[in-house]
Amino acid sequence: MSAAPPHRPNGQPRIAIVGAGISGIATGVALQRAGFTEFTIYEKAGDYGGTWRDNTYPGLFCDVPSRYYQFTFALNPEWSQLYSPGSEIKDYLAGVARRHGLHHRTRFHAEIVAAEFEDDGWRITTVDGAVDRVDFLMCATGFLHHPNRPDIPGLDEFGGTVMHSARWDHGVDLTGQHVGVIGTGSTGTQLVCALAGEVPELVLFQRTPQWILPTVNRAYSRVSKSVYRWLPALGHLPYAMNRAFFAAFSQGLVHPGRIRKFIQWVVERNLASVEDPELRRKLTPDYQAMCKRLVVSDRFYTAIQRPDVELVTSGIERVEKDAVITVDGARHELDILILATGFDAHAYMRPMAVTGTGGRTLDEAWEDGPRAFEGSMMPGFPNLFMLVGPHSPVANHPLTAVAEAQSARIVEWLRRWRADEFTTIEPTRAAADRYNARMRAAAPDTIWSTGCRSWYLGKDGLPELWPWSPRRFEQMVRSTPELVDYQLGQRVASEK
Ligand code: N01
């Protein structure tokens, strides 16, 4: 049996952060600022940015305004637009990491394949077989991470190029190509807007129509940027305004009422701008607006009405060497197929093999779906924290804000560890069960439970999102923890 990690004489716990995306960066900066310096960020890829590094497809932008979708400790005066492109967000994240010196503490191409709780800490194994011991494991692996490849007969036999939107191959020349896009989520609709008119024929295969919220994406002027550069603290103002707007909007997500009705009215009016009644019928969803993630676009309906863009609503039966065959027998001859089919949003840190106390694996603990106490800790997995874990996505609240709030809480626990209040911490099973029961009870009130298929829903058909307001989330994360909800491990007296 290996020795238990001795209590660090310098008060420094050893910490592994898994993932160098938004939440890994937020955690690294929070730890560093609080004086916890013995941490390593393990990143399986070669750069920062997480989903913003992986997604590079044409037309990618963030549907949350950039002056809100950023860290409060790194307000950026340089945003080019209200909704900035994905590449700009990726560069921003990498810049924050480097400016805070995280590159000195990041190991790229170092995927952690296994983590086992052993004695008072975690034994972690990287893909090259190297083993490390740490006191705390922080999983910042995100949830829009593993591409969902649809199980369509014949897809592997397609003779042209097939690529998932999150694995865009920039070596593929689209010039003169007949392109099919499968999927009509935020990604599929952004792709259609970007590719319409760029290729001779674009076919969108739609299984379910989407409600579209029209917004205007405006560019920031040079003057506005220099004002924010000159007075960076000014950035808190648009941040606070957006925060108030999204707080109001989120009321419609978690409670029935006027906001839902208003959004429904807006998206229906937007749909009415589609001239051809038959096309309009095909684009009309049979569920309430916001049940699926609302698509934000002022260009989609224009793009889909172009003569060189076709909307196909008949289901896909199979794919042949040079065509997609739909159930109505139509044959759509194509050169390139783009899978805008989303992600396995329920994998979280898997396929990493995580084993807690008593040899219980994460797969066993999550047999009925991902669950966590306060979105971040699990019984039976001591000293493991998840960033933006199960039920932490707070609707359209930016993940930067969620990760900042959760990492501040983690720092509080580490201070208690340093003060020798415990060596190991995990929530009690009773506390976790109570918390998850409250989540389940709140779920039916949310818009996500009103009858549509989406990646928000878990195995039990209930949404795996935070079912209350963003304010309530922040209150929970900022409140003083009830120690009765936790099981604290102490060192035996002889070790002290
Ligand atoms: O994925 P999705 P996404 N045959 O799961 C269809 C974020 N995001 O990549 O609706 C045919 O929403 C599926 O059909 P259906 C954002 O949070 C953010 O678009 O299940 N079709 C659906 O149309 C977003 O919500 C930005 O019937 C199949 C589509 O594929 C999340 O990422 C930008 C199919 C998948 O839609 C995911 O969005 C982009 C099959 N076998 C993304 N399987 C920002 O702006 C699936 N589909 C921040």
Side-chain angles (χ1 to χ4, degrees):
M1 192 171 115
S2 61
H7 195 65
R8 307 278 149 254
N10 58 1
Q12 289 287 345
R14 290 176 307 184
I15 299 163
I17 300 173
V18 193
I22 286 179
S23 49
I25 294 169
T27 308
V29 173
L31 294 183
Q32 198 152 262
R33 289 177 142 198
F36 294 104
T37 50
E38 281 197 29
F39 67 88
T40 303
I41 301 177
Y42 293 80
E43 169 54 55
K44 73 175 184 182
D47 203 353
Y48 294 101
T51 197
W52 296 106
R53 176 204 57 228
D54 290 347
N55 284 274
T56 60
Y57 61 81
L60 170 65
F61 69 89
C62 180
D63 58 7
V64 178
S66 304
R67 286 188 173 157
Y68 190 32
Y69 196 91
Q70 60 178 338
F71 296 120
T72 52
F73 59 81
L75 297 173
N76 177 19
E78 308 297 342
W79 293 117
S80 64
Q81 297 168 48
L82 180 64
Y83 302 101
S84 297
S87 57
E88 219 175 291
I89 299 167
K90 192 239 144 213
D91 290 348
Y92 163 77
L93 293 171
V96 171
R98 286 180 204 286
R99 272 200 307 285
H100 285 83
L102 296 187
H103 51 293
H104 297 303
R105 306 188 186 285
T106 306
R107 282 179 56 192
F108 290 113
H109 305 293
E111 179 178 0
I112 297 183
V113 290
E116 285 164 79
F117 185 76
E118 203 180 66
D119 304 322
D120 286 348
W122 287 88
R123 174 191 158 92
I124 55 176
T125 309
T126 44
V127 69
D128 57 3
V131 172
D132 263 328
R133 295 259 325 168
V134 293
D135 302 308
F136 289 93
L137 181 65
M138 305 196 175
C139 296
T141 49
F143 52 95
L144 296 177
H145 177 45
H146 299 289
N148 168 38
R149 190 178 164 89
D151 190 14
I152 299 174
L155 189 56
D156 291 339
E157 276 77 61
F158 186 65
T161 301
V162 179
M163 54 184 164
H164 190 277
S165 51
R167 297 289 180 272
W168 195 264
D169 181 349
H170 290 272
V172 173
D173 184 5
L174 299 178
T175 317
Q177 303 291 298
H178 296 254
V179 177
V181 173
I182 302 178
T184 49
S186 304
T187 302
T189 49
Q190 289 185 349
L191 270 164
V192 167
C193 296
L195 300 183
E198 299 294 316
V199 294
E201 184 194 11
L202 182 65
V203 181
L204 175 61
F205 295 93
Q206 171 189 279
R207 189 164 69 177
T208 312
Q210 287 275 1
W211 288 112
I212 314 278
L213 186 73
T215 52
V216 178
N217 192 8
R218 63 186 172 83
Y220 288 122
S221 67
R222 275 175 39 204
V223 175
S224 132
K225 283 191 221 170
S226 38
V227 169
Y228 281 95
R229 214 175 292 138
W230 177 64
L231 203 58
L234 209 59
H236 289 292
L237 188 64
Y239 189 94
M241 285 161 57
N242 273 293
R243 195 183 153 91
F245 170 81
F246 278 89
F249 176 79
S250 74
Q251 285 303 315
L253 297 168
V254 295
H255 297 300
R258 274 186 300 181
I259 292 182
R260 272 188 205 178
K261 286 191 185 132
F262 175 68
I263 299 285
Q264 187 68 43
W265 177 77
V266 173
V267 294
E268 282 177 13
R269 270 186 61 106
N270 189 31
L271 178 64
S273 68
V274 175
E275 284 168 20
D276 174 10
E278 178 56 12
L279 180 62
R280 200 163 59 235
R281 186 191 61 75
K282 288 180 172 177
L283 289 168
T284 306
D286 62 359
Y287 56 87
Q288 290 185 52
M290 304 191 292
C291 182
K292 284 169 174 287
R293 167 94 173 201
L294 206 50
V295 170
V296 172
S297 179
D298 59 344
R299 291 169 54 203
F300 177 69
Y301 287 146
T302 310
I304 204 73
Q305 292 180 84
R306 290 177 59 102
D308 50 3
V309 178
E310 186 188 356
L311 178 72
V312 172
T313 55
S314 187
I316 297 174
E317 189 186 275
R318 65 183 188 280
V319 174
E320 292 186 349
K321 203 167 179 343
D322 59 349
V324 172
I325 315 298
T326 43
V327 290
D328 58 359
R331 185 181 168 79
H332 307 271
E333 292 190 1
L334 296 164
D335 306 305
I336 294 176
L337 259 186
I338 300 168
L339 310 175
T341 43
F343 302 87
D344 172 4
H346 313 286
Y348 289 97
M349 57 277 222
R350 294 174 286 186
M352 183 167 92
V354 183
T355 311
T357 50
R360 190 157 193 256
T361 66
L362 185 66
D363 283 343
E364 286 164 352
W366 283 359
E367 208 178 350
D368 297 327
R371 304 273 181 274
F373 180 63
E374 298 190 344
S376 148
M377 298 163 88
M378 280 182 290
F381 294 82
N383 290 11
L384 182 149
F385 293 98
M386 283 173 282
L387 280 299
V388 198
H391 295 99
S392 294
V394 186
N396 292 39
H397 201 48
L399 292 186
T400 41
V402 176
E404 267 191 66
Q406 287 184 327
S407 49
R409 181 140 178 123
I410 289 172
V411 162
E412 278 313 306
W413 283 124
L414 294 180
R415 289 201 172 111
R416 287 169 178 246
W417 181 93
R418 189 160 58 186
D420 217 6
E421 289 184 28
F422 62 84
T423 51
T424 61
I425 182 163
E426 61 186 293
T428 65
R429 201 163 296 280
D433 287 348
R434 269 198 310 277
Y435 178 80
N436 283 297
R438 283 202 300 274
M439 291 266 165
R440 276 197 299 281
D445 246 11
T446 68
I447 188 79
W448 312 301
S449 302
T450 54
C452 69
R453 171 175 47 201
S454 80
W455 64 264
Y456 291 159
L457 303 181
K459 266 186 183 174
D460 53 7
L462 295 178
E464 288 186 359
L465 302 187
W466 175 254
W468 300 291
S469 68
R471 190 155 172 260
R472 182 160 166 181
F473 179 80
E474 298 214 333
Q475 277 169 347
M476 175 189 79
V477 177
R478 297 224 160 99
S479 65
T480 309
E482 298 283 349
L483 286 184
V484 66
D485 289 340
Y486 297 89
Q487 196 172 315
L488 304 179
Q490 309 287 351
R491 277 179 304 135
V492 288
S494 60
E495 287 176 326
K496 291 199 180 189

